[in-house]
Each structure stands twice: as C-alpha cells, then as structure tokens.
Amino acid sequence: MAYETINVDTQDHVCLIKLNRPEALNALNSVLLGELCAALEEADASDKVRCIVLTGSEKAFAAGADIKEMSEMSYVDVFTSNLFADTNDRISAIRKPIIAAVSGYALGGGCEVAMMCDFIIAAETAKFGQPEINLGVIAGMGGTQRLTRFVGKSKSMDMNLTGRFMTAEEAERAGLVSRVVPAKKLIEEAMAAANKIAEKSVLTSIAAKEAVNRAYELPLSEGMLFERRVFHSMFATEDQKEGMAAFLEKREAQFRDK
Ligand code: CAA
C-alpha cells in the first residue's frame, strides 16, 4: 500500500517502518497514526514478516502528537472521537515483535508510541520526554502509565511534572531502553536484533511477547500460571521437537512455525 507519511520496506523477514514527516519532526497527526496502524497490521498479517522495526529520522523519532492539529479541538471533539484510544488499542494488538529504533526526540506521543513497541534501542542522541505539561495538558497515550511501569514513580513524576528530557544514557539506566548504540549504527543494530528474532519460530516469538506483557496486567501467581500454561502448550508444536533435537544434534534449528 502507498503511504503519505511513512515509508515501509520489508527486507527478508523484517519490516522496517520509518515515520516520515520531516517538516514537523514526525509529529503524529491523524493521517500518520492511521497509516502507522495500517502498516503494522499489514506486517502482522503477512506470512513473510517475522519482526517489525519502527524508526524515525536522525533528528526525531517523533516530537509528539501534532500540536497544530490538536490546538483547536474542544473537549467534546476529543471525548467523542476518543482521541488516541484507537492508536493505543491497534498498536497494542500487534502480535509480532516490534522494536523501536529511536534517534533524536521521542517526546510526548513519540515517547508513548516507542513504549507501545516491545523494546527500545536508542541512539546516543535520543531524548525522551513527556512535555505535555508545558502545553496545559497531560500525556494521553501512556506517558503517565507505561512510563511509570518502566522507570518507577519518582522518575515518571519528574518527567511528567517538569517536562524535562531524559538522555539515552539515563533512559538505559532507568530501564526505559534496552540498549544504547552509536547514532550511525542505530538501524544496523536494530535490524540485526530483528533478524535474530526472525530466526526463531513465530509461534514462540508471539508466545513470549504475550507472556511478558501479562507481567504488566496480572498478579505474579496468575502471571506464572499463564506462563506455565503457554510453556506447556509449546510441547504440542513441531518447533519444540526441532529446537530441542537441533541442540542435541549440535546443529542450527530450522523452525517452520508449526
Ligand atoms: N506538533 C506539531 N508540530 C511540531 C511538533 C509537534 N509536536 N514538534 C515540532 N513541530 C514542528 C514545529 O512547529 C516546526 O515547524 P515550523 O518549522 O513549521 O515552525 C518544526 O516541527 C521544527 O520544530 P522546531 O523549530 O521547534 O525545532 P527545534 O529543533 O527548535 O525544537 C523540539 C525541537 C524541542 C522537539 C520542539 O519542536 C518541541 O518542543 N516540540 C514539541 C514537543 C511536545 O510538546 N510534544 C508533546 C506533544 S502533545 C502530545 O504528544 C500528547 C500526547 O500525549 C498524546
């Protein structure tokens, strides 16, 4: 499908989606968010794609929701359209792994979309923030919720109340990002991680993602039960037989998603 505000490029089994509104630092307007969700859903449904990488430009992953588009909206407008609920629901429903590769600004909705992905690889230049407070609003796509789960109450309060930006180094220390890499190597590193994931069985990638995400929704005993049930169910797959046989035979496993 042809898109206006994003570029989509599938190489082997990895779908690379690049936000592309350079004139507005990839601000997330309704067209971009609609296209992003559609592209993610298309990749999720594709038999070829096994992992997705979402990135922006060198200067900005995304500088937030589009302030120009929002500025004239009334309470009735945002309440009746349930602004941003659809984006959160659609991105959260993607079953295949999504890596956010973040360079430059990931602010407001930009930080929130990155947090909707499964993990974040950051360039040394990345800056994360929830500066909505400077606009007379609060975060609306997870900045008070997901960020708090990632970095804890104290840092989340600091970010949401002062609107200050966090460097990549601080974000890694705080557990918001999984690794920090040189800016020039960001896409290479993210694609390498995605290709590593693409080598596994899609069945196990989806199961692992679902199980980790349950850790945010369930008490420990229920989460452990969910994990154990899914772990047990993997023994019904051919890929479990292949994975374990390959280990014993000292060879690479050939997973067939069966
Ligand atoms: N929405 C719309 N346009 C934006 C934008 C945004 N979030 N962020 C940047 N732009 C536009 C600017 O208006 C500017 O356009 P013009 O050239 O037409 O004036 C262009 O992108 C370049 O931006 P700057 O000139 O401001 O670039 P800079 O390098 O001086 O500053 C910045 C970069 C610090 C990121 C600054 O642009 C900025 O503070 N942006 C807004 C960040 C923000 O407040 N984000 C939260 C948005 S609200 C939200 O996201 C709600 C939610 O939770 C869902």
Side-chain angles (χ1 to χ4, degrees):
M1 201 191 291
Y3 295 111
E4 240 181 81
T5 59
I6 60 172
N7 297 329
V8 182
D9 179 21
T10 300
Q11 298 165 14
D12 299 325
H13 296 293
V14 178
C15 175
L16 176 65
I17 301 177
K18 189 173 187 298
L19 307 180
N20 188 29
R21 285 191 74 212
E23 71 285 1
L25 301 182
N26 293 332
L28 307 166
N29 64 7
S30 48
V31 175
L32 186 149
L33 289 174
E35 291 189 345
L36 172 60
C37 291
L40 287 169
E41 285 162 356
E42 198 178 326
D44 207 29
S46 156
D47 289 338
K48 189 177 173 205
V49 174
R50 304 167 77 86
C51 189
I52 302 162
V53 174
L54 176 61
T55 195
S57 68
E58 210 176 306
K59 180 162 183 194
F61 176 76
D66 192 304
I67 301 167
K68 206 179 277 177
E69 196 177 66
M70 287 185 298
S71 62
E72 298 298 324
M73 291 178 183
S74 68
Y75 170 72
V76 172
D77 294 332
V78 298
F79 178 75
T80 49
S81 67
N82 212 1
L83 187 65
F84 302 134
D86 183 58
T87 303
N88 177 63
D89 295 349
R90 288 172 73 184
I91 298 180
S92 305
I94 301 297
R95 301 184 79 203
K96 288 177 185 162
I98 313 173
I99 302 172
V102 174
S103 175
Y105 298 110
L107 305 177
C111 185
E112 292 166 309
V113 166
M115 290 189 291
M116 286 176 208
C117 298
D118 297 309
F119 64 94
I120 302 174
I121 299 181
E124 288 157 337
T125 55
K127 289 183 197 69
F128 299 87
Q130 299 295 157
E132 290 90 339
I133 197 134
N134 298 327
L135 302 169
V137 291
I138 68 165
M141 275 200 278
T144 67
Q145 300 303 301
R146 286 199 178 89
L147 186 66
T148 308
R149 285 164 163 81
F150 279 115
V151 305
K153 178 180 167 183
S154 189
K155 250 188 213 297
S156 177
M157 282 288 191
D158 182 357
M159 307 291 290
N160 277 287
L161 292 174
T162 68
R164 80 170 173 89
F165 302 163
M166 213 189 247
T167 61
E169 196 246 316
E170 184 182 1
E172 186 184 28
R173 243 187 299 127
L176 177 59
V177 313
S178 71
R179 28 180 146 154
V180 179
V181 299
K184 290 210 163 6
K185 293 201 142 192
L186 177 66
I187 298 302
E188 188 185 323
E189 295 275 347
M191 291 300 283
N195 278 307
K196 199 62 131 172
I197 292 169
E199 288 169 10
K200 325 292 180 206
S201 165
V202 166
L203 302 179
T204 48
S205 297
I206 291 175
K209 172 168 171 164
E210 283 185 358
V212 172
N213 280 333
R214 283 301 176 285
Y216 287 98
E217 309 286 346
L218 298 174
L220 184 61
S221 57
E222 291 299 316
M224 291 300 294
L225 179 61
F226 181 87
E227 178 189 273
R228 204 160 48 246
R229 288 285 177 264
V230 175
F231 170 69
H232 291 163
S233 74
M234 306 267 86
F235 286 74
T237 67
E238 290 177 18
D239 285 340
Q240 174 265 331
K241 301 286 174 285
E242 166 62 11
M244 293 192 180
F247 175 81
L248 295 174
E249 291 161 17
K250 301 190 189 303
R251 61 174 173 82
E252 288 287 314
Q254 300 297 320
F255 294 120
R256 297 173 56 230
D257 306 334
K258 286 183 190 310

